[in-house]
Amino acid sequence: MHLTRRGFTTALAGTIVSPAVIRSAYAQGATVKIGMVVPMTGAAAESGSFAQTGAKIALEQVNKAGGVLGKPLELIFEDDQTTNPGAVLAFSKLASQPDIVAFLGSIRSTQMHAMAPDMLKIGKPVGFGGTDPNLTKLGNPWLFRFRPNDSYSGKVIAQYGSKELGKKKWAIVHSTDAFGTAGAKALTEALPDNGATLALDQGYANQSQDFTPVVLAVRQSGADILGTYFTFETDLGIFARQLRQLGVNIPWVGSPSIVNVSALKLAGPALYNTYGVADYAEDSSDASKAFGKAYREVRKVAPDNQSSWTFDAVTCLAMAMNKAGSTEPNKVREAMLAIRGHKGAEGEYNFDKNGDGLHGYNIVKNDKGEIKFDKRIDFTPNLG
């Protein structure tokens, strides 16, 4: 069976190729494979479909430009079921396929922590989107982050809320998972430098159905501004509606989930006039505008960071393999660490020795449901 490059790309643009096609392609050594752990079922299934679209757009662009080492690139997806055990199982299924040369992990830090030991064992490059700063401090040389970490988001939220909005008494609401805990810590630590104080540190369990006690704690704290780190858009939507129902209308600056498409759909007017730190903002650069145009042509809706980081990860992994002239893990790793000045959908990539590629955030405002770019705040990375 002969498979043309065009045939492979067309098949992949719609869905995963069948096992029979994969076996035939492998026999011919016809493709270079990247495995992707992604939610296809569970609470995050919709955002998972966005992530797949971003990766597929990159795949098409890579293959149109000649592929990887003269072969078409192929994506293999495994469902993480929106759970930590599901993510571990999905990664193990991908890792058991020796012809997969690199991986995309999760946008959720808690899932990345669950998979990290196996990722270290397999010893192949992994692009991921979780923002817990600790993920690139695990001594795992194979992890490459395609979103800014939360040491930056905490600084930007604190700076914008206290300096630009002039509010000094903060209530922080966060998931008690790895992402939420690290984000809240980063924001709390950034408050004194901005002349602000902490009125409330309120954690919650993921996938809660009722946020009334959390909202009441915010209302009773006397805070004049709210900062949040929500892991799941569904939780954020419920919280936002209950916040407004109980009469809390203080300024709100949230982590990137506050501007995700799923959250906007669920919360509607409850999120109007809120602010977010957004690693992806469509109007922030020519590269982000170009990705937005390509994404809209496929999905007919605006993109968010669920798709932008996967687009950048596939693009950079392919670029690194071509630069290295090899899919050998150490050579690809070295080529990834050498990436400088690459203008991606999320921003300009300059990888540091820990595997962090981005070093700043955009501030955006929800203007009656439309996300409007305000400004970008970048920090100077140590690339040593």
Side-chain angles (χ1 to χ4, degrees), residues 141-160:
W142 302 107
L143 301 184
F144 294 90
R145 195 191 321 256
F146 284 86
R147 296 175 62 220
N149 75 56
D150 284 323
S151 67
Y152 298 117
S153 72
K155 289 174 186 172
V156 173
I157 291 173
Q159 184 177 322
Y160 194 81

Side-chain angles (χ1 to χ4, degrees), residues 46-372:
E46 181 180 48
S47 60
S49 75
F50 300 156
Q52 290 178 71
T53 299
K56 287 174 183 175
I57 292 170
L59 173 103
E60 289 184 5
Q61 291 185 5
V62 167
N63 285 342
K64 193 173 179 183
V68 174
L69 306 175
K71 296 179 180 180
L73 188 63
E74 180 182 350
L75 294 169
I76 309 292
F77 300 103
E78 279 292 343
D79 181 15
D80 67 25
Q81 303 167 58
T82 318
T83 68
N84 288 7
V88 172
L89 178 62
F91 183 76
S92 72
K93 286 180 180 176
L94 294 170
S96 69
Q97 301 176 50
D99 53 328
I100 291 179
V101 297
F103 305 91
L104 264 61
S106 179
I107 194 172
R108 306 189 197 281
S109 297
T110 180
Q111 292 185 355
M112 282 303 300
H113 277 290
M115 291 184 284
D118 290 339
M119 290 172 169
L120 179 59
K121 267 185 223 165
I122 198 70
K124 293 177 182 179
V126 180
F128 72 98
T131 52
D132 175 6
N134 296 312
L135 283 164
T136 46
K137 297 174 184 173
L138 298 173
N140 187 336
W142 302 107
L143 301 184
F144 294 90
R145 195 191 321 256
F146 284 86
R147 296 175 62 220
N149 75 56
D150 284 323
S151 67
Y152 298 117
S153 72
K155 289 174 186 172
V156 173
I157 291 173
Q159 184 177 322
Y160 194 81
S162 296
K163 298 282 175 70
E164 301 282 335
L165 301 180
K167 304 299 180 183
K168 303 294 185 183
K169 198 173 178 186
W170 286 77
I172 300 175
V173 173
H174 61 92
S175 164
T176 51
D177 69 10
F179 157 73
T181 303
K185 181 173 182 281
L187 175 51
T188 301
E189 289 174 351
L191 294 181
D193 288 345
N194 290 281
T197 58
L198 181 65
L200 175 72
D201 179 324
Q202 180 66 53
Y204 70 87
N206 283 339
Q207 300 185 44
S208 299
Q209 297 303 309
D210 182 12
F211 284 87
T212 304
V214 176
V215 173
L216 291 175
V218 173
R219 192 169 75 180
Q220 290 159 13
S221 71
D224 61 8
I225 188 166
L226 173 65
T228 60
Y229 281 86
F230 274 81
T231 299
F232 290 102
E233 298 83 358
T234 44
D235 286 341
L236 193 147
I238 295 168
F239 172 78
R241 291 198 303 268
Q242 292 184 332
L243 191 74
R244 303 314 185 201
Q245 286 163 5
L246 291 169
V248 179
N249 290 294
I250 57 176
W252 179 1
V253 187
S255 70
S257 54
I258 200 170
V259 293
N260 281 359
V261 171
S262 301
L264 298 177
K265 197 188 299 182
L266 285 163
L271 284 177
Y272 287 2
N273 297 315
T274 57
Y275 300 88
V277 290
D279 36 304
Y280 177 74
E282 193 168 354
D283 292 330
S284 62
S285 72
D286 289 343
S288 58
K289 286 175 187 169
F291 172 69
K293 183 173 183 291
Y295 187 91
R296 286 170 185 273
E297 285 172 2
V298 176
R299 295 295 298 239
K300 314 303 179 195
V301 294
D304 63 16
N305 63 13
Q306 299 285 342
S307 56
S308 53
W309 84 264
T310 61
F311 172 84
D312 286 347
V314 171
T315 302
C316 285
L317 283 166
M319 188 167 68
M321 290 176 204
N322 280 329
K323 184 81 174 167
S326 172
T327 58
E328 196 276 314
N330 272 306
K331 290 180 179 175
V332 177
R333 177 179 175 271
E334 291 302 320
M336 286 289 292
L337 290 171
I339 288 174
R340 296 286 181 272
H342 171 68
K343 291 176 170 53
E346 288 255 333
E348 183 179 297
Y349 285 87
N350 296 282
F351 279 95
D352 63 23
K353 64 183 181 195
N354 294 325
D356 278 299
L358 295 164
H359 310 277
Y361 270 98
N362 306 296
I363 291 284
V364 296
K365 182 179 182 182
N366 183 326
D367 184 4
K368 295 181 181 172
E370 189 179 340
I371 301 304
K372 297 207 169 159

